[in-house]
Amino acid sequence: MQELYELREITKRQIATKHFASEKYANKRLYIMKKEGLITTKVYGQRTSGQTKTAAYVRLTESGMNLLVERGLLDSKSYRARDLGLSIQQRQYITDANELFVQIPGIPFMDSREIKKKYHLNRGNLTVGGFSNHQGDYMIFILNGDAKETTLRKILMEIKAKKYVSGYLVYYKSSSVKRAFETLCHEQALVTGGVPLYMLPFDTWGIEITRRYILSTNAFLNLQELLSSYGTLTRVKEGSNKHGFLYGMRREDGLLTPYVIEVITGDILILKRCLRNYNVEAYQREGRRVLLFCYEDEVQRYRDELLSVTYVDVIGVPKLVMESSFEGRDAIT
């Protein structure tokens, strides 16, 4: 119930996924809470992949909020229960943000109101929430499959504002929107001062990359394990090089440790940032090659892009190898 207050509305399926062993048992518990007047439910249409589906949404009643106050879980009622209801537009993006919250448990989550308040953002700001871990805050944006260019430009403006977060998580629902956003980033020569901008699909794959290789307290160890067949991944000490590399690769052949750039986590800025600093002259001075790790099906694209950058070796990581490291989880629907 406290979670319902913070998230405003959440679907029955999301509640079942996060809090109950089965959907059947979740429905029984929710039925009792509704009968006691603590919650209310309503069915709304939900547009997914061009089809309209319905979903049952749950939110608190005045009685439910009063119970939270009585139990000391809510200092006072800053809102009336009906104010927690969402508009059609709000429901779409808040439901998506809540899905990230449900699918990535154990990481502190801030809803859109909380993160906007923390960073003194306007209500019209397009961030849908954020995660916090040992590194800091990660601001979330979601690009719908039919997102207009004006929306993409507004998100870029908000990212350029530099709110001192530790990273941006931009989830896309179509490849065409991803390409459009990346093109705008390139055209505007987006610079974030070293803050990573992760572009990830809004699906199970993107969720697992976020959970395992970005937000986890064991993210580096997981990445190290994934790339272990190529050598021992090591961190580049902060401040020890001016090129912006995060990693190096210690190898058993005794050759000079190469720098490492990985784009499998979706950071779309790190490649150009590192190679802008580590140019031909820098390579000739240091003599350290660069290993670029990408997905196997992206190898040719990166080789074509870096045709004239002879000191970069492009290595493809099979997705099957990565999938074997994922724990079985339900797909986002």
Side-chain angles (χ1 to χ4, degrees):
M1 289 176 63
Q2 184 180 22
E3 201 170 271
L4 267 178
Y5 175 76
E6 294 167 353
L7 301 180
R8 301 176 67 175
E9 284 187 9
I10 190 167
T11 67
K12 278 188 176 182
R13 183 189 60 79
Q14 290 171 337
I15 292 173
T17 299
K18 189 169 190 296
H19 293 288
F20 296 95
S22 71
E23 189 169 346
K24 183 178 179 180
Y25 182 63
N27 287 333
K28 287 183 178 179
R29 294 291 296 172
L30 291 173
Y31 173 77
I32 294 172
M33 293 173 69
K34 184 176 180 180
K35 193 174 180 180
E36 293 177 348
L38 301 175
I39 62 172
T40 182
T41 61
K42 193 169 184 179
V43 176
Y44 296 97
Q46 188 178 33
R47 193 165 182 78
T48 306
S49 302
Q51 297 180 338
T52 299
K53 299 180 180 180
T54 58
Y57 289 79
V58 181
R59 66 177 173 86
L60 287 178
T61 61
E62 289 293 335
S63 296
M65 292 175 68
N66 289 335
L67 182 59
L68 288 179
V69 174
E70 290 174 14
R71 297 294 176 89
L73 298 174
L74 185 62
D75 293 336
S76 61
K77 292 198 297 183
S78 302
Y79 304 93
R80 294 169 297 181
R82 67 183 184 186
D83 294 332
L84 297 175
L86 304 174
S87 66
I88 294 175
Q89 185 179 10
Q90 287 175 321
R91 187 168 293 110
Q92 179 180 5
Y93 75 76
I94 286 181
T95 299
D96 288 341
N98 289 347
E99 190 68 30
L100 295 173
F101 164 70
V102 168
Q103 297 287 344
I104 306 179
I107 305 294
F109 176 79
M110 292 176 282
D111 69 4
S112 60
R113 294 173 302 176
E114 186 178 355
I115 197 165
K116 288 175 185 178
K117 181 179 179 181
K118 181 172 182 177
Y119 288 97
H120 309 290
L121 304 175
N122 296 325
R123 290 182 62 184
N125 189 282
L126 296 181
T127 181
V128 300
F131 285 107
S132 296
N133 70 358
H134 58 290
Q135 301 283 356
D137 296 337
Y138 292 75
M139 196 172 286
I140 300 169
F141 296 93
I142 297 177
L143 309 181
N144 289 328
D146 57 354
K148 294 180 173 59
E149 184 177 329
T150 52
T151 300
L152 304 185
R153 289 185 179 277
K154 185 174 181 183
I155 289 174
L156 272 178
M157 286 178 59
E158 294 173 7
I159 290 174
K160 284 181 178 179
K162 294 184 177 62
K163 297 299 180 182
Y164 308 107
V165 296
S166 294
Y168 298 97
L169 298 167
V170 181
Y171 295 92
Y172 59 88
K173 294 187 178 182
S174 72
S175 297
S176 59
V177 166
K178 174 181 183 283
R179 289 192 296 269
F181 189 79
E182 287 179 323
T183 299
L184 282 175
C185 290
H186 176 70
E187 289 176 353
Q188 297 188 16
L190 177 65
V191 175
T192 60
V195 177
L197 193 164
Y198 302 101
M199 283 212 74
L200 298 156
F202 189 72
D203 59 16
T204 303
W205 184 270
I207 291 295
E208 287 301 319
I209 293 296
T210 306
R211 186 182 66 85
R212 187 171 179 82
Y213 296 107
I214 299 175
L215 296 181
S216 171
T217 54
N218 296 319
F220 173 72
L221 295 178
N222 293 335
L223 190 62
Q224 190 178 57
E225 181 182 2
L226 176 68
L227 304 179
S228 59
S229 60
Y230 307 97
T232 302
L233 189 71
T234 60
R235 284 194 177 96
V236 175
K237 291 182 180 180
E238 189 174 350
S240 65
N241 83 87
K242 58 185 176 182
H243 311 304
F245 294 104
L246 301 178
Y247 309 113
M249 184 67 76
R250 188 182 300 117
R251 303 191 299 197
E252 294 181 358
D253 55 17
L255 296 176
L256 196 61
T257 301
Y259 289 119
V260 169
I261 300 173
E262 64 82 14
V263 293
I264 55 179
T265 55
D267 187 349
I268 64 172
L269 301 179
I270 192 167
L271 176 61
K272 283 184 170 57
R273 181 169 68 245
C274 288
L275 295 188
R276 183 171 57 247
N277 297 324
Y278 194 65
N279 52 25
V280 174
E281 290 78 12
Y283 168 63
Q284 290 174 344
R285 288 195 304 270
E286 292 194 25
R288 297 175 67 171
R289 296 188 66 79
V290 177
L291 303 181
L292 171 63
F293 288 95
C294 62
Y295 294 123
E296 199 171 41
D297 57 2
E298 296 178 324
V299 169
Q300 193 57 52
R301 176 172 74 85
Y302 280 110
R303 283 179 177 167
D304 292 342
E305 182 181 334
L306 302 171
L307 193 61
S308 62
V309 190
T310 58
Y311 52 91
V312 176
D313 302 313
V314 182
I315 301 175
V317 178
K319 285 193 173 183
L320 285 175
V321 173
M322 297 189 68
E323 286 175 341
S324 67
S325 70
F326 292 167
E327 298 175 3
R329 296 177 66 83
D330 296 332
I332 292 180
T333 56

